[in-house]
């Protein structure tokens, strides 16, 4: 070896790290031998693969580049899938708008409902009065309206009839339509709130009047009259012998003309047989007619034969023309909410006293009765504390009942189709206790505290008073079954006419004008 090669070898040896550590190996007989550093290095280099470090780095770079390529591909696939879903949703929305628009233009064409009723006519009459057929979305009204099979379905089943018992007849189908004032987009004004691309907006609300159109003439009409009035009885006899006999028997003469309910069990299943309700009287007659139905309520045509007439828009002198319009043409209706109430006694925790809820159309009143002490009540709204009522009492009212006791106690007049519950104190012992209007979806709980000096009394639409002792509670919420009342013109026009004519609201003489003429 030359001198230059020896010098290079010495430099390489100098660059190596001298660990000065002897490697210990254990032999088969357990003895430990010591191997020199030079021998250990030679053994290590013999087993280490002679792969350059630069070659390993190249493989790692190639592998990482492949991973990045896969990640980019997956991201493109996800973006393409999201774009396809968005496009499909947009096409679906356009298709639904187009179908709704076509249905709105041809809403008077009777399709599936008439076929459904035709098939049912071939069955025995006893089955027609009690059975509730399943809804076929393809043959019935579907998503383009609200069908009577959905609104007046039998949610309160009663006892089955015997084969020899009397039956009244079949239910007449109808459809609820949305007045759109010439709207051409086919939305039917059913969408209240939309959410698109992070923006929330409310839909146009120029007119949300609901229309009712019979798809076949009603077969069974319930007449409710004001008691102890000879003029009302005479009008009822004239109406039955004239208009209804002609209209009801023109379609099918099989049905018996007049039948009466013999017991309370038949009254509980009235909603399965009655197509239309006609009341002759005042608002009290409408309240009593609504109380007959613990479930769905048929449309109500109320003729004014009372004093104020907030719910009775039809004049009795024009009953022939009014009934003809209701039976043959689409007419506006007002969906009046009802309160369903339960009483919970302190002696029986979490158990309601009445099996069926008490339904009220106007208001629930909680007062002190004959007690000389102030009414002391604790009020909760969806388990949130509201206030303590100390005074003569409390009124929990529907918007239809806003012009009744609530108005006399200082509450506001509210349009009957505004969704809400009125919370009005009666003579509160506090100057700052003002009435409230709460949303319709809440549940109110009014409890008599254990430290109350006296008891309280609850009345429902002015009748059926129940005593509430210490610890007892009254639970109130909006019933899912409203009372549909027919309108003479439309809901808003009838409401304004009633407060102008009945209450003489804001009636005063106009100021005289003494200034120069223009």
């Amino acid at each position: 070896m030359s001198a230059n090669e020896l010098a290079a070898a010495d430099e390489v040896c100098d660059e190596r790290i001298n660990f000065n550590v002897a490697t210990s190996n254990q032999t088969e007989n357990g003895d430990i031998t010591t191997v020199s550093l030079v021998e250990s290095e030679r053994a290590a280099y013999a087993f280490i693969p002679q792969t350059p470090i630069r070659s390993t780095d190249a493989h790692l770079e190639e592998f990482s580049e492949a991973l990045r390529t896969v990640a980019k591909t997956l991201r493109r696939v996800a973006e393409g899938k999201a774009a396809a879903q968005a496009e499909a949703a947009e096409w679906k929305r356009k298709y639904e708008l187009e179908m709704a628009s076509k249905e709105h233009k041809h809403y008077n064409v009777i399709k599936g409902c008439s076929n459904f009723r035709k098939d049912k006519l071939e069955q025995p009459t006893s089955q027609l009065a009690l059975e509730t057929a399943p809804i076929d979305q393809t043959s019935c009204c579907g998503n383009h309206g609200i069908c009577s099979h959905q609104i007046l379905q039998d949610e309160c089943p009663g006892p089955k009839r015997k084969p020899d018992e009397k039956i009244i007849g079949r239910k007449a189908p109808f459809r609820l339509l949305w007045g759109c004032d010439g709207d051409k987009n086919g939305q039917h004004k059913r969408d209240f709130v939309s959410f698109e691309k992070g923006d929330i907006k409310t839909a146009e609300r120029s007119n949300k009047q609901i229309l009712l159109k019979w798809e076949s003439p009603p077969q069974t009409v319930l007449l409710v009259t004001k008691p102890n009035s000879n003029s009302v009885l005479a009008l009822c006899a004239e109406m039955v012998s004239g208009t209804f006999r002609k209209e009801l028997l023109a379609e099918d003469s099989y049905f018996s003309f007049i039948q009466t309910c013999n017991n309370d069990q038949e009254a509980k299943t009235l909603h399965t047989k009655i197509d239309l309700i006609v009341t002759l009287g005042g608002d009290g007659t409408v309240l009593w007619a609504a109380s007959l139905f613990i479930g769905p309520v048929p449309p109500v045509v109320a003729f004014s034969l009372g004093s104020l007439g907030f719910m009775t828009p039809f004049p009795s002198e024009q009953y022939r023309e009014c009934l003809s319009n209701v039976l043959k043409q689409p007419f506006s209706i007002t969906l009046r909410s009802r309160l369903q109430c339960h009483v919970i006694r302190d002696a029986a925790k979490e158990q309601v006293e009445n099996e069926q809820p008490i339904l009220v159309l106007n208001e629930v009143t909680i007062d002190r009765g004959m007690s000389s002490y102030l009414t002391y009540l604790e009020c909760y709204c969806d388990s949130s504390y509201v206030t303590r009522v100390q005074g003569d009492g409390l009124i929990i009212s529907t918007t239809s009942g806003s012009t009744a006791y609530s108005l006399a106690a200082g509450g506001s007049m509210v349009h009957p189709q505004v969704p809400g519950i009125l919370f009005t104190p009666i003579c509160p012992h506090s100057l700052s206790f003002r009435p409230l209007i709460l949303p319709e979806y809440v549940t109110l709980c009014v409890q008599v505290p254990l430290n109350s000096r006296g008891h309280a009394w609850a009345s429902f639409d002015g009748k059926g008073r129940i005593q509430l002792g210490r610890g007892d509670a009254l639970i109130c919420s909006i019933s899912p079954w409203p009372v549909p009342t027919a309108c003479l013109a439309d809901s808003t026009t009838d409401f304004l006419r009633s407060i102008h004519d009945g209450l003489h609201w804001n009636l005063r003489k106009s100021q005289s004008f003494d200034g120069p003429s223009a």
Side-chain angles (χ1 to χ4, degrees):
M1 183 179 294
S2 63
N4 294 332
E5 291 177 348
L6 290 173
D10 292 338
E11 291 178 359
V12 172
C13 292
D14 292 339
E15 291 177 357
R16 293 178 180 176
I17 301 174
N18 186 8
F19 293 98
N20 295 323
V21 177
T23 303
S24 298
N25 294 330
Q26 188 173 7
T27 61
E28 294 180 356
N29 56 6
D31 297 334
I32 297 176
T33 59
T34 302
V35 184
S36 64
L37 180 61
V38 177
E39 292 177 355
S40 64
E41 285 182 349
R42 290 176 181 176
Y45 279 108
F47 288 98
I48 294 177
Q50 300 299 321
T51 302
I53 299 178
R54 293 182 180 178
S55 177
T56 303
D57 294 340
H59 284 297
L60 291 176
E61 291 176 359
E62 184 179 356
F63 181 72
S64 63
E65 185 66 25
L67 289 180
R68 283 193 292 268
T69 303
V70 172
K72 291 179 180 179
T73 304
L74 292 177
R75 185 164 56 251
R76 292 193 188 99
V77 172
E79 292 174 353
K81 183 179 179 181
Q85 290 178 348
E87 184 177 0
E90 181 65 17
W91 278 108
K92 180 180 178 181
R93 187 180 69 86
K94 292 181 180 179
Y95 173 78
E96 291 175 350
L97 291 178
E98 183 67 22
M99 294 299 296
S101 178
K102 291 180 181 179
E103 183 66 17
H104 178 62
K105 292 179 181 178
H106 304 284
Y107 68 88
N108 55 350
V109 179
I110 303 174
K111 296 182 180 179
C113 289
S114 59
N115 297 333
F116 170 82
R117 188 55 58 189
K118 182 179 179 181
D119 296 337
K120 293 295 290 183
L121 287 175
E122 300 175 359
Q123 299 182 10
T125 312
S126 60
Q127 297 181 6
L128 294 176
L130 297 178
E131 290 185 358
T132 302
I135 301 173
D136 186 0
Q137 295 292 345
T138 59
S139 63
C140 195
C141 300
N143 296 328
H144 308 303
I146 305 176
C147 184
S148 59
H149 310 313
Q150 297 169 302
I151 297 299
L152 299 180
Q153 58 185 339
D154 190 358
E155 290 291 335
C156 305
K160 294 184 178 180
R161 286 182 174 271
K162 297 179 181 179
D164 56 345
E165 288 184 352
K166 296 186 299 181
I167 49 102
I168 295 183
R170 62 179 184 267
K171 297 284 293 181
F174 60 83
R175 178 182 296 182
L176 298 183
L177 309 174
W178 297 93
C180 296
D181 283 344
D183 188 22
K184 298 181 181 180
N185 59 10
Q187 284 283 356
H188 302 314
K189 302 296 183 182
R190 284 184 289 181
D191 296 331
F192 298 111
V193 179
S194 62
F195 179 78
E196 297 178 358
K197 298 180 180 179
D199 298 328
I200 299 177
K201 65 177 181 179
T202 56
E204 182 184 357
R205 301 187 183 186
S206 59
N207 185 359
K208 298 200 70 63
Q209 180 62 57
I210 302 176
L211 306 177
L212 188 149
K213 179 180 181 299
W214 297 104
E215 295 189 346
S216 66
Q219 300 297 325
T220 307
V221 178
L222 173 65
L223 282 91
V224 181
T225 62
K226 178 182 178 180
N228 305 323
S229 176
N230 295 330
S231 60
V232 172
L233 292 178
L235 178 61
C236 179
E238 181 182 350
M239 188 179 297
V240 169
S241 60
T243 304
F244 284 124
R245 186 177 185 89
K246 178 181 178 181
E247 295 291 342
L248 297 182
L249 299 184
E251 187 73 13
D252 194 341
S253 60
Y254 169 78
F255 299 101
S256 299
F257 183 52
I258 297 178
Q259 296 187 22
T260 58
C261 296
N262 298 324
N263 51 51
D264 294 338
Q265 294 298 328
E266 289 188 354
K268 291 181 180 180
T269 58
L270 276 179
H271 69 280
T272 64
K273 313 159 194 172
I274 304 301
D275 295 325
L276 182 66
I277 303 174
V278 175
T279 64
L280 304 177
D283 291 345
T285 307
V286 178
L287 295 178
W288 191 83
S291 66
L292 298 176
F293 298 86
I294 60 177
V297 183
V300 180
V301 180
F303 288 92
S304 178
L305 291 167
S307 301
L308 294 179
F310 291 102
M311 302 182 189
T312 55
F314 292 94
S316 59
E317 300 83 6
Q318 304 174 9
Y319 75 89
R320 290 186 176 86
E321 179 182 356
C322 295
L323 289 176
S324 177
N325 293 335
V326 167
L327 295 176
K328 298 179 180 180
Q329 300 177 6
F331 58 94
S332 301
I333 62 172
T334 299
L335 296 181
R336 300 181 180 273
S337 300
R338 292 192 293 176
L339 286 172
Q340 55 184 8
C341 308
H342 295 274
V343 175
I344 299 179
R345 297 297 183 184
D346 180 64
K349 295 292 186 182
E350 305 299 331
Q351 295 182 6
V352 296
E353 182 183 72
N354 47 307
E355 297 181 358
Q356 295 291 345
I358 304 174
L359 297 175
V360 296
L361 182 55
N362 265 357
E363 75 280 311
V364 179
T365 303
I366 306 174
D367 56 65
R368 61 182 181 176
M370 298 298 294
S371 175
S372 59
Y373 299 111
L374 292 178
T375 300
Y376 185 32
L377 306 171
E378 290 183 348
C379 304
Y380 300 87
C381 177
D382 286 342
S383 301
S384 298
Y385 174 74
V386 179
T387 189
R388 289 185 178 90
V389 178
Q390 297 182 83
D392 282 354
L394 175 67
I395 300 172
I396 301 176
S397 170
T398 65
T399 51
S400 295
S402 65
T403 52
Y405 197 175
S406 177
L407 177 64
S412 176
M413 293 185 294
V414 185
H415 192 288
Q417 289 198 161
V418 173
I421 302 176
L422 279 66
F423 187 88
T424 308
I426 305 174
C427 299
H429 205 246
S430 172
L431 296 177
S432 60
F433 196 168
R434 308 306 301 164
L436 296 177
I437 300 179
L438 301 170
E440 66 171 347
Y441 55 80
V442 302
T443 299
L444 294 177
C445 175
V446 181
Q447 184 177 17
V448 180
L450 296 175
N451 59 347
S452 176
R453 290 186 176 183
H455 296 175
W457 291 84
S459 61
F460 308 89
D461 277 342
K463 59 182 182 296
R465 289 174 66 82
I466 297 177
Q467 186 178 18
L468 301 177
R470 297 178 181 90
D472 296 344
L474 178 67
I475 310 298
C476 300
S477 60
I478 291 294
S479 169
W481 305 111
V483 178
T485 58
C487 301
L488 180 62
D490 57 74
S491 182
T492 301
T493 302
D494 290 358
F495 172 69
L496 295 177
R497 178 200 55 79
S498 65
I499 63 176
H500 282 296
D501 296 346
L503 297 177
H504 303 292
W505 177 63
N506 198 27
L507 182 62
R508 72 178 300 273
K509 292 183 178 180
S510 300
Q511 290 181 332
S512 60
F513 180 72
D514 297 333
S517 59

